[in-house]
Amino acid sequence: MAYTGRFRNLSDTMFRLKPPVDIMVPQGEGVNLKRSLSIWQLAAIGIACTVGTGIFVTFSQVVPAAGPGVLVSFVLAGVTAGLTALCYAEVSSKIPLAGSSYSYTYASLGEIAAYLVGWCLLLEYSVSTAAVASGWSGYLNQLLSDLRLVNLPGWMSHAPTPGQGFGVNAPAVLLVVLCALLLIKGTSESARTNAVMTAIKLAVLLFFAAVAFCGFHASNMHPFAPHGIGGIGTAAGMVFFSYIGMDAVSTAAEEVENPRKALPKALILALVVVTGIYLLVALAAIGARRASQFDPNENAPLAVILQEVTGWTWTSVLLSAAAVISIFSVTLVTLYGQTRVLHSMSGDGLVPKIFSNLNEKTRTPVGGTIIVAVFVSVLTGLVPLDILADFVSLGTLVAFSVVSATVIILRRRRQGDARSFQVPFYPVLPILSILACLYLMYTLADSEHGWLTYSMFGLWMAIAIVVYFAYARHHAVLAERESAAPTSIP
């Protein structure tokens, strides 16, 4: 009987839900996050985070996998992200908290599930930041080379790889440090900087498409799918990591004006812009260059394509400069997203309080930002880009599928709650979103690093479970409330 009681108590702890009052009044100590973001700044966060490495860097890795069929890969990834974005829009309008899918899961599936999703997000954001910064380093090297300013030695411009000995991606580490300093200064300053960078990025990508279409050859579209449906699916899974921007929008819930209305609008606006840009740029690039000419080891594929089409170096310089600006903004947003997830988890007591302590002047989590920057810098400097990308895709897909499931659960459990947006064709659309995420997760197993990706992901989740039982469940705010509550005497 005693054993049964302990088991029931453990079960109640693992599946306790965040109460409605905590959804409306975020937990945490000290001053609150400052509400300073508009709908357009929020949408710019999603666009900046999504339009980046997926098109600037990993494009040269996914084309060999799918051929011209990579266009379908982008559509497949975009449709999956679109289905999930609608789910995010409903849940975020109902639970306007920072922490994105972590907070949504805490209110629907319970504490242990939320904690594991939180760890998925930490993996997703930290590895995404490292991957994006690694790609930034490649374009920076290309830009410096085109301008004939300096050629960085190999050992300080790439992570260590087999056969090449020691190396550290110093420019990528520098980028993480600069973004951390900007975030420490303040959210509104970071948002304004990000909005300017996003506008520049979109303008240059439109310029790329216009120039590349001048070299368009229909023959480059054949054969359309040299590796069949499997290759298209694998490429879709590989590029999906760039859609982390959809989650990044919802991490800003506590810093946006009127979040119930702003979040759904910003999510949908960001998705429409992103998908349109991806398809336009991908079609122009594939039409201007045969799929067989794309090299997975190429650092700056779009810049090289412009130079091939025009024969002018200045076009490559322009594109490389835009990529340097663009990927800076992506790194800024992914680093921002990770600090806000940790801030939310810390406010709930599931990670140490340093991550939720805010500076009274800037109202930003300075200590948490510094810790995150140090951790990401190590990943950025020492882990190769191709291994990083698949990790992010897997973590993103897990988080997205949980959010889609949350829509169904909250509709059943809390039917009377107010929401400013509802997913159409319920419950078909959330179910399709879950199935699409599961399919892309399956395709990742067929990628070059599929076995390693899943093995490391399993190890990461195992560590999360150990930390939860050793620390988090005892320090949770809900646990402290239960211990402080008076017990009834039978």
Side-chain angles (χ1 to χ4, degrees):
M1 294 294 293
Y3 175 81
T4 302
R6 286 195 299 269
F7 179 80
R8 182 179 296 112
N9 182 59
L10 177 61
S11 177
D12 291 343
T13 298
M14 293 168 58
F15 297 103
R16 56 192 171 198
L17 303 176
K18 179 177 286 190
V21 65
D22 289 353
I23 294 172
M24 300 310 301
V25 183
Q27 299 300 305
E29 299 179 359
V31 294
N32 293 324
L33 293 167
K34 183 180 180 180
R35 293 193 180 277
S36 58
L37 302 180
S38 66
I39 290 178
W40 294 106
Q41 288 176 321
L42 197 59
I45 287 176
I47 296 169
C49 188
T50 307
V51 180
T53 311
I55 198 71
F56 278 109
V57 181
T58 57
F59 192 68
S60 61
Q61 298 172 354
V62 297
V63 172
V70 74
L71 293 171
V72 181
S73 300
F74 277 112
V75 171
L76 181 58
V79 168
T80 303
L83 293 172
T84 311
L86 293 174
C87 295
Y88 262 96
E90 174 168 330
V91 181
S92 64
S93 70
K94 194 171 186 177
I95 306 176
L97 292 179
S100 63
S101 47
Y102 155 76
S103 296
Y104 308 154
T105 308
Y106 210 161
S108 59
L109 296 177
E111 188 171 280
I112 181 66
Y115 193 75
L116 294 178
V117 167
W119 272 66
C120 283
L121 291 175
L122 297 182
L123 173 70
E124 175 185 336
Y125 279 109
S126 60
V127 178
S128 176
T129 306
V132 169
S134 297
W136 182 84
S137 178
Y139 271 98
L140 178 65
N141 288 338
Q142 179 72 35
L143 178 61
L144 294 175
S145 177
D146 287 342
L147 293 175
R148 299 179 181 179
L149 294 176
V150 65
N151 287 318
L152 296 177
W155 67 268
M156 66 175 300
S157 60
H158 67 78
T161 54
Q164 295 187 14
F166 173 78
V168 58
N169 200 330
V173 173
L174 175 63
L175 173 62
V176 173
V177 172
L178 291 175
C179 289
L181 292 175
L182 186 57
L183 288 175
I184 288 172
K185 185 176 181 181
T187 300
S188 60
E189 291 83 357
S190 302
R192 284 193 292 268
T193 302
N194 175 67
V196 173
M197 290 180 176
T198 301
I200 294 172
K201 167 169 46 181
L202 295 180
V204 173
L205 284 175
L206 291 174
F207 168 78
F208 167 84
V211 174
F213 272 124
C214 295
F216 189 94
H217 298 284
S219 59
N220 290 343
M221 305 300 292
H222 303 284
F224 186 75
H227 303 293
I229 298 298
I232 291 175
T234 298
M238 293 169 67
V239 301
F240 193 80
F241 87 94
S242 61
Y243 280 96
I244 189 177
M246 298 300 103
D247 187 90
V249 170
S250 61
T251 64
E254 291 177 32
E255 294 167 274
V256 65
E257 303 162 0
N258 195 358
R260 291 190 182 277
K261 293 184 178 180
L263 283 168
K265 291 179 180 178
L267 280 163
I268 295 171
L269 176 61
L271 181 70
V272 170
V273 173
V274 165
T275 304
I277 287 290
Y278 269 3
L279 288 176
L280 181 67
V281 172
L283 178 61
I286 290 291
R289 186 196 234 189
R290 294 197 64 82
S292 59
Q293 294 178 293
F294 283 86
D295 181 2
N297 297 317
E298 195 170 43
N299 286 328
L302 299 190
V304 175
I305 289 174
L306 279 187
Q307 190 166 354
E308 290 173 349
V309 170
T310 64
W312 299 329
T313 303
W314 71 266
T315 57
S316 174
V317 171
L318 178 63
L319 200 287
S320 295
V324 168
I325 295 173
S326 163
I327 300 176
F328 184 101
S329 67
V330 180
T331 307
L332 182 68
V333 173
T334 53
L335 196 65
Y336 165 86
Q338 185 174 8
T339 61
R340 270 40 180 187
V341 170
L342 282 167
H343 175 271
S344 186
M345 294 179 71
S346 177
D348 292 327
L350 300 182
V351 297
K353 290 297 182 183
I354 189 173
F355 293 102
S356 59
N357 291 338
L358 304 181
N359 180 280
E360 293 188 3
K361 181 179 180 180
T362 63
R363 291 162 74 176
T364 58
V366 175
T369 302
I370 293 173
I371 293 173
V372 167
V374 171
F375 175 70
V376 171
S377 293
V378 173
L379 283 179
T380 301
L382 301 178
V383 182
L385 172 63
D386 54 349
I387 296 178
L388 292 172
D390 286 353
F391 276 128
V392 183
S393 290
L394 185 56
T396 303
L397 287 164
V398 170
F400 279 20
S401 59
V402 170
V403 170
S404 300
T406 297
V407 170
I408 299 174
I409 294 170
L410 290 180
R411 284 277 190 108
R412 290 179 174 273
R413 285 185 177 173
R414 293 163 47 184
Q415 299 180 12
D417 284 8
R419 59 178 73 88
S420 60
F421 179 86
Q422 293 191 48
V423 169
F425 307 111
Y426 173 87
V428 175
L429 194 147
I431 293 174
L432 287 177
S433 176
I434 294 171
L435 293 176
C437 288
L438 291 175
Y439 170 72
L440 292 185
M441 290 168 65
Y442 168 76
T443 64
L444 284 175
D446 293 330
S447 66
E448 181 181 355
H449 302 286
W451 181 86
L452 177 61
T453 298
Y454 273 87
S455 297
M456 295 302 294
F457 184 77
L459 177 61
W460 180 257
M461 288 293 100
I463 295 173
I465 292 173
V466 171
V467 175
Y468 173 77
F469 284 105
Y471 175 87
R473 80 183 186 95
H474 303 292
H475 292 80
V477 170
L478 296 184
E480 294 175 356
R481 290 180 187 173
E482 291 173 0
S483 62
T487 57
S488 59
I489 301 177

